[in-house]
Amino acid sequence: MSELVAHAEDSALWSTLRRHTQARIGLGRAGSGLPTRHRLELQAAHAAARDAVHSPFDPDTVAAALTGTPTVRVRSAAPDRLTYLQRPDLGRRLDATDRAHLPSGEWDLVFVVADGLSSRAVHEHAAAMVRATTARLSADIRVAPVVLAEQARVALGDDVAHAMGAAMVVVLVGERPGMSAADSLGAYLTYGPKPGVTTDADRNCLSNIRPPLGLTYDTAAAKLAALMGRAWELGLTGVGLKDESDALPAAAPAQSR
């Protein structure tokens, strides 16, 4: 009887903990393996992660969700998905022909929507993040057309911003899928990007943008706008720029000067 009581108490504890995390904890055993239900759930999550990596990016889906916002389409130097996965360096460089066709100007900011490792995340969340963030920017900030980039990694944003003459770039990219999330969007902010020179230490990242289970668009946009405002003040991003938005009152629109 005491063993049954202890087992019931243990099950109740794990049930309580599971309500606060998507991690697979306290799933129990069936012989030497997982219970069938949890094994099937794990296989389904693995399939969703594979699909997220290999599903093609559809720029039309994002462009349609950004109705009224000018967009430009580019590709990286990776000619196909297999090459992109095997050669990360090519995903960081613009296709030479597409670079020549990018509009140049004196922009304060350019958004780059990149498929990364989850086109699903980009299709579901990128347009909403662009809208939520631009709504928090002051009217004097010159925002370039949104660049929709295929077979792209984060550093491709450096190449895009440099070619367009933008002082700052926000790369919205599909993050590497895990076994609990295949639709997570990341936002990478870089001030003064220089292709081949800027490193990841020069960027600020917001991860796990995927409402309702991750960051909401409003929360992520508020943090991103606050970081932008400080980046323009300090003239930098990366390890020298900290996210202090949680300690501040409601953020005012980000100013470029």
Side-chain angles (χ1 to χ4, degrees):
M1 179 65 71
S2 61
E3 290 182 359
L4 291 175
V5 171
H7 177 73
E9 291 176 347
D10 187 58
S11 298
L13 172 62
W14 283 117
S15 296
T16 300
L17 291 175
R18 280 197 296 270
R19 288 200 293 270
H20 300 284
T21 178
Q22 291 180 265
R24 290 177 170 81
I25 58 174
L27 301 183
R29 308 293 293 176
S32 60
L34 286 171
T36 301
R37 175 169 65 89
H38 295 306
R39 181 173 178 80
L40 293 175
E41 290 172 350
L42 189 65
Q43 290 175 333
H46 183 255
R50 287 178 59 86
D51 286 347
V53 170
H54 293 287
S55 296
F57 177 44
D58 182 10
D60 288 337
T61 296
V62 181
L66 287 171
T67 301
T69 301
T71 60
V72 181
R73 303 184 187 189
V74 299
R75 299 161 296 168
S76 75
D80 52 55
R81 195 63 175 173
L82 181 60
T83 305
Y84 169 83
L85 295 173
Q86 294 176 337
R87 292 283 307 275
D89 58 312
L90 296 181
R92 301 183 183 110
R93 303 202 309 265
L94 271 171
D95 173 84
T97 301
D98 289 353
R99 180 190 290 108
H101 292 155
L102 281 171
S104 60
E106 294 183 357
W107 312 104
D108 293 312
L109 172 67
V110 59
F111 287 94
V112 176
V113 175
D115 49 1
L117 291 171
S118 174
S119 57
R120 173 185 168 186
V122 173
H123 294 157
E124 293 183 8
H125 306 304
M129 265 305 294
V130 171
R131 291 195 302 269
T133 306
T134 53
R136 293 177 175 272
L137 303 179
S138 68
D140 69 327
I141 292 180
R142 298 163 297 183
V143 181
V146 175
V147 176
L148 308 179
E150 187 175 358
Q151 313 293 14
R153 296 184 183 269
V154 172
L156 187 83
D158 303 340
D159 211 351
V160 169
H162 185 263
M164 296 181 71
M168 188 182 295
V169 59
V170 172
V171 179
L172 299 173
V173 62
E175 296 182 309
R176 184 185 304 277
M179 298 304 285
S180 59
D183 63 335
S184 179
L185 186 77
Y188 289 80
L189 174 67
T190 311
Y191 181 90
K194 298 178 177 61
V197 176
T198 299
T199 69
D200 288 341
D202 301 312
R203 313 185 198 284
N204 290 87
C205 172
L206 296 176
S207 187
N208 197 35
I209 303 169
R210 47 186 290 268
L213 299 174
L215 282 179
T216 66
Y217 305 135
D218 284 343
T219 298
K223 289 178 175 290
L224 192 55
L227 285 169
M228 285 182 195
R230 288 292 290 158
W232 274 307
E233 290 176 13
L234 300 175
L236 57 81
T237 48
V239 295
L241 176 62
K242 306 303 180 185
D243 176 16
E244 300 174 341
S245 58
D246 290 339
L248 299 174
Q255 305 283 335
S256 64
R257 298 167 191 68

